[in-house]
Amino acid sequence: MYVSLLEPLGIRTHSREELRLVFPVGDAARAAMTAWRGERGLSERGYLAIIPGTTRPQKMWPDEYWPQLLERVHAEHGLTGLILGGPAERDLAAAIVRATRTPAVSAAGETGIKETGALLESAAATVAVDTGPMHIAVAVGCPTVSLFGSTGPRLFDDGSPYLCLHRQFACWPCHRHPICRHYECLRAIAPAAAARAVDRLLAAGTARADASSNPSAHAAPARAAGLAFARG
Ligand code: SF4
């Protein structure tokens, strides 16, 4: 996105393919996380990864929304919840596991950055706040739903399977200076809206697999990309 600012100056920008994010997971991290998942009963594509933690409170989705999302996605798709994060998110992740009435596992504080990439690579999909590992999810090709509030929603203009949910309030963007008390822009994105976004990405992936195994089947868009504004 930012490199396009150079175009008016006549400076060549890159093709969409060249701009695609890349994250080198590596064989060692992949093997370690395959074993880690096996110990916890998390099969390949058998879980929804969530990334609930970030540094600024105005970028956090309400804590109580995460269990509701995990329960909806489990009911619809049978996916276990996997909570990712650093050591600072251990307590939040544990609270989400306790509050969720369907299977959920925490990896918060247990993984380095490459291991996080490996877990995202094998996830069915990811739901994340505006934070670094959300970009890793996109880079490893994981269908990703991002939840944006105070900051500017970012598009990945490279065909990645990505949906961004964002409610644009009149006070937006406040960045580091929110004028509200409860971050209503993120509170306005309901768990049901995030679950529907997961449905859309998973349906696009299934349609893609069906189309490749049956060339006469209706060809769905190769990837669901773009910006979606939450309505519910
Ligand atoms: S001030 Fe507005 S944009 Fe900023 S966090 Fe609050 S509701 Fe969201």
Side-chain angles (χ1 to χ4, degrees):
M1 178 185 288
Y2 291 117
V3 291
S4 63
L5 295 173
L6 300 174
E7 286 175 0
L9 302 175
I11 299 172
R12 176 189 169 272
T13 57
H14 298 73
S15 68
R16 293 173 78 198
E17 187 59 39
E18 288 171 316
L19 289 173
R20 183 161 291 161
L21 293 178
V22 173
F23 183 84
V25 170
D27 292 342
R30 197 170 284 127
M33 289 300 99
T34 298
W36 188 94
R37 286 193 292 105
E39 290 165 8
R40 289 156 183 82
L42 294 171
S43 61
E44 178 119 9
R45 308 281 177 260
Y47 59 95
L48 174 76
I50 63 169
I51 304 170
T54 182
T55 50
R56 291 184 233 158
Q58 64 268 33
K59 296 204 294 183
M60 300 278 282
W61 209 33
D63 294 355
E64 67 272 22
Y65 283 11
W66 292 107
Q68 296 176 46
L69 169 67
L70 293 180
E71 288 166 13
R72 282 177 177 271
V73 172
H74 182 269
E76 194 67 30
H77 303 285
L79 298 176
T80 296
L82 174 66
I83 300 103
L84 298 174
E89 278 97 39
R90 275 202 180 102
D91 289 349
L92 171 60
I96 293 171
V97 169
R98 279 196 304 274
T100 305
R101 292 171 296 182
T102 49
V105 174
S106 171
E110 295 191 38
T111 56
I113 194 161
K114 283 182 174 286
E115 288 77 18
T116 297
L119 290 174
L120 289 166
E121 196 177 53
S122 298
T126 302
V127 180
V129 293
D130 173 20
T131 191
M134 182 271 286
H135 297 82
I136 296 176
V138 174
V140 299
C142 182
T144 301
V145 178
S146 68
L147 308 169
F148 271 75
S150 57
T151 51
R154 295 283 180 269
L155 300 179
F156 292 93
D157 187 26
D158 60 2
S160 293
Y162 173 75
L163 287 169
C164 173
L165 301 185
H166 177 236
R167 276 289 188 88
Q168 194 165 316
F169 281 26
C171 44
W172 174 89
C174 66
H175 293 290
R176 293 175 184 272
H177 306 288
I179 58 172
C180 62
R181 290 183 62 191
H182 302 295
Y183 317 124
E184 283 82 359
C185 55
L186 276 161
R187 188 163 287 280
I189 302 173
R196 283 198 299 273
V198 172
D199 293 345
R200 283 178 60 187
L201 289 178
L202 293 179
T206 302
R208 186 165 68 245
D210 288 349
S212 63
S213 63
N214 176 10
S216 64
H218 172 68
R223 286 182 166 180
L227 178 67
F229 289 95
R231 291 189 169 78

